[in-house]
Amino acid sequence: MNNPVLELAAIEKSYSKGSSNKIEVLKGVNLKLFPGETVALVAPSGAGKSTLLQISGLLDKPLGGKIFINGTEIQNKNDNHLTMIRRREIGFVYQFHHLLPELTALENIGLPALLAGTNQAEAIKNASLLLEQVNLSGKENNAPNELSGGERQRVAIARAMSNNPSCLIMDEPTGNLDTKNVENFMTLLMDMISIKNVTL
C-alpha cells in the first residue's frame, strides 16, 4: 500500500493567554491522507480547523507530535528545507485568492514554478496549459482586478497546481462565491484533482 501523502501523529497545539491561562487548540490529533483521497474538515467556528490546516501545510509548527509528508518525517527540518517541501508537495487555495495585483493571470500561475527553479519558458508553458484547464483561455494578460470573483478563484486553483503538488489544502475556498460559482468551482476542482490524482 502507498505511504500516506500526509500523516499527522498526536499533534498538539496550544496558545498562552496571559501568564497562567493556556488555550488548547489541538490535542492528540491523528490524520492520514492517501494519494487521490478527498477529505472535508467540518467543525464549528473556533474549533481549530485553520490551525490544523496551517500545520498540515507546514506554515505553522505543532508543539508536539509528528508530521510525515510522503512517508518522511519533516517537522524537525529547518525553515529552508520546509519551504522547499512546501513548494514541491503542497498547493494552497484560501477564501481570498491572494493573487498578486501587479501580475497577470498567467504570471500569477507561473510564479510558484519560477520560485521553485523552473526555467521561465517551461513555467509559462505550464501556466498557459493550467489556465486552459480552468477554462480561462484568453484571460492570460488580465490583471486580477479585470477578473470576476469566480475567475480569480480558478486562477488560484491553477496557481496551486503549478508545481504538481501531491496535496492540495483549501481553507473555505468558496466562501466569497455565489451559489452558481460554487457549483462551477467545485466541478472544476474535482475534475482537476481526479486527473492529476492529487490529495485534497
Side-chain angles (χ1 to χ4, degrees), residues 10-14 24-30:
I11 294 297
E12 306 274 345
K13 186 70 176 181
S14 61
E24 288 189 328
V25 181
L26 303 174
K27 188 175 181 180
V29 174
N30 297 298

Side-chain angles (χ1 to χ4, degrees), residues 40-71:
L41 184 60
V42 181
S45 179
K49 299 184 299 296
S50 291
T51 300
L52 185 61
L53 291 176
Q54 295 285 314
I55 288 172
S56 299
L58 312 183
L59 295 171
D60 194 5
K61 293 183 179 180
L63 296 179
K66 295 181 178 181
I67 304 169
F68 299 85
I69 301 289
N70 291 316

Side-chain angles (χ1 to χ4, degrees), residues 7-182:
E7 180 178 358
L8 306 179
I11 294 297
E12 306 274 345
K13 186 70 176 181
S14 61
Y15 298 98
S16 295
K17 188 177 181 181
S19 57
S20 59
N21 192 6
K22 186 171 80 168
I23 301 171
E24 288 189 328
V25 181
L26 303 174
K27 188 175 181 180
V29 174
N30 297 298
L31 176 68
K32 289 183 181 181
L33 298 178
F34 290 89
E37 188 173 12
T38 297
V39 174
L41 184 60
V42 181
S45 179
K49 299 184 299 296
S50 291
T51 300
L52 185 61
L53 291 176
Q54 295 285 314
I55 288 172
S56 299
L58 312 183
L59 295 171
D60 194 5
K61 293 183 179 180
L63 296 179
K66 295 181 178 181
I67 304 169
F68 299 85
I69 301 289
N70 291 316
T72 300
E73 186 177 341
I74 58 87
Q75 79 277 2
N76 293 322
K77 307 290 186 185
N78 65 40
D79 287 343
N80 286 340
H81 198 153
L82 291 177
T83 297
M84 294 305 296
I85 294 170
R86 221 175 14 248
R87 284 181 185 163
R88 188 175 64 245
E89 302 292 349
I90 302 171
F92 297 92
V93 181
Y94 298 99
Q95 181 174 350
F96 301 99
H97 52 79
H98 297 299
L99 301 178
L100 295 176
E102 64 274 17
L103 299 183
T104 65
L106 191 68
E107 290 167 340
N108 265 289
I109 295 168
L111 184 60
L114 289 171
L115 291 173
T118 304
N119 71 65
Q120 186 171 3
E122 187 65 27
I124 293 301
K125 179 182 176 183
N126 186 48
S128 183
L129 178 59
L130 284 165
L131 203 61
E132 182 180 329
Q133 289 173 339
V134 295
N135 301 322
L136 286 176
S137 292
K139 303 278 187 175
E140 290 85 354
N141 297 316
N142 287 57
N145 66 1
E146 298 172 324
L147 301 170
S148 71
E151 288 172 336
R152 291 174 195 168
Q153 281 300 72
R154 283 188 270 159
V155 172
I157 293 177
R159 179 185 58 188
M161 303 294 280
S162 181
N163 285 329
N164 294 310
S166 55
C167 185
L168 190 59
I169 294 176
M170 301 186 139
D171 195 354
E172 299 189 31
T174 61
N176 289 326
L177 303 180
D178 59 37
T179 302
K180 183 62 177 175
N181 272 317
V182 168

